[in-house]
Amino acid sequence: GEDVEQSLFLSVREGDSSVINCTYTDSSSTYLYWYKQEPGAGLQLLTYIFSNMDMKQDQRLTVLLNKKDKHLSLRIADTQTGDSAIYFCAEHGSGNTGKLIFGQGTTLQVKP
Amino acid sequence: GAGVSQTPSNKVTEKGKYVELRCDPISGHTALYWYRQSLGQGPEFLIYFQGTGAADDSGLPNDRFFAVRPEGSVSTLKIQRTERGDSAVYLCASSFAGYNEQFFGPGTRLTVL
């Protein structure tokens, strides 16, 4: 079945790089997404990558996609305390509806 | 409005009661999604509307859950005979069309006592 897996927790120091990893199962996914959720707030789309790409850079964010291993990562350069949040990886589910299948989320803790 | 809105923001009810949760999507968005997020988990898909019709309701856990979108805009998620296990944050998202970027509302936190 469809499944997205993430590590649950990551702690880094302010100014360091953070790397959040995700594995997914549906090789037919056309887009893969990273969402951010801050306490008490809704989900915010951070970035996405099309399945025919292997890298996408957007300011401090770099997404790497390894389709062979079905592995997605999000790198945040120069991590700030404001980056502390839960990060969700998501892929499109089966069928032609655009529904998203989310991982369980990685809590990023940034220490000053 | 500028974004997706959901009401109420919090709902506390007793086991066995009926509840309705409302979602106002972004104007012009034809696709609307409902997800449920339990504590410590990622959102789980419930149902997808394209216009007025439910194009995919495969995520609804059982027949106590039902959703409507009669005019292709506002949607209501209805839960009958609520159970404690229904306690979660219910999220609504809309997009211009299916497979486009989904914009999420702040959610309704449902607590069943």
Side-chain angles (χ1 to χ4, degrees), chain A residues 2-13:
Chain A
E2 301 156 335
D3 195 22
V4 177
E5 298 277 342
Q6 298 178 238
S7 52
L8 295 182
F9 186 78
L10 176 65
S11 181
V12 300
R13 292 251 174 234

Side-chain angles (χ1 to χ4, degrees), chain A residues 30-31 33 35 37 42-43 45 88 92-93 95-100 102-104, chain B residues 33 35 37 40-43 45 48 55-56 58 91 98-99 101-102 104-106:
Chain A
T30 50
Y31 289 96
Y33 301 86
Y35 279 84
Q37 187 174 45
L43 285 163
L45 179 64
F88 293 95
H92 280 297
N96 203 24
T97 64
K99 69 183 181 189
L100 295 174
F102 287 85
Q104 67 268 53
Chain B
Y33 301 81
Y35 295 85
Q37 186 175 20
Q41 301 295 317
F45 169 77
Y48 158 65
D56 182 352
S58 62
L91 297 168
Y99 263 96
E101 177 184 349
Q102 294 181 29
F104 281 80

Side-chain angles (χ1 to χ4, degrees), chain A residues 2-7 18-19 28 30 37-38 46 48 54 57 68-69 74 81 89-90 95-96 101-102 110:
Chain A
E2 301 156 335
D3 195 22
V4 177
E5 298 277 342
Q6 298 178 238
S7 52
S18 307
V19 179
S28 65
T30 50
Q37 187 174 45
E38 294 177 275
L46 274 182
Y48 64 91
D54 51 21
Q57 187 147 4
K68 174 176 167 290
D69 295 337
L74 173 70
T81 54
C89 167
N96 203 24
I101 307 299
F102 287 85
V110 183

Side-chain angles (χ1 to χ4, degrees), chain B residues 32-35 45-49 54 56-60 67 77:
Chain B
L32 186 145
Y33 301 81
W34 283 99
Y35 295 85
F45 169 77
L46 294 176
I47 187 169
Y48 158 65
F49 287 90
D56 182 352
D57 63 359
S58 62
L60 294 178
L77 178 66

Side-chain angles (χ1 to χ4, degrees), chain B:
Chain B
V4 178
S5 62
Q6 293 186 246
T7 54
S9 54
N10 277 285
K11 176 72 177 177
V12 180
T13 191
E14 293 178 343
K15 182 175 177 295
K17 299 288 190 183
Y18 167 83
V19 296
E20 290 189 351
L21 312 179
R22 176 187 166 107
C23 172
D24 261 288
I26 293 171
S27 178
H29 280 190
T30 61
L32 186 145
Y33 301 81
W34 283 99
Y35 295 85
R36 177 169 73 173
Q37 186 175 20
S38 300
L39 192 62
Q41 301 295 317
E44 291 179 295
F45 169 77
L46 294 176
I47 187 169
Y48 158 65
F49 287 90
Q50 179 56 48
T52 60
D56 182 352
D57 63 359
S58 62
L60 294 178
N62 52 59
D63 62 5
R64 295 187 298 105
F65 289 75
F66 189 70
V68 296
R69 195 185 184 200
E71 297 176 359
S73 179
V74 170
S75 176
T76 305
L77 178 66
K78 307 180 182 199
I79 311 174
Q80 298 178 324
R81 305 183 304 279
T82 51
E83 299 178 357
R84 293 194 181 89
D86 298 335
S87 296
V89 176
Y90 289 80
L91 297 168
C92 176
S94 70
S95 66
F96 184 68
Y99 263 96
N100 281 254
E101 177 184 349
Q102 294 181 29
F103 294 84
F104 281 80
T108 293
R109 181 176 298 277
L110 175 66
T111 303
V112 182
L113 301 177

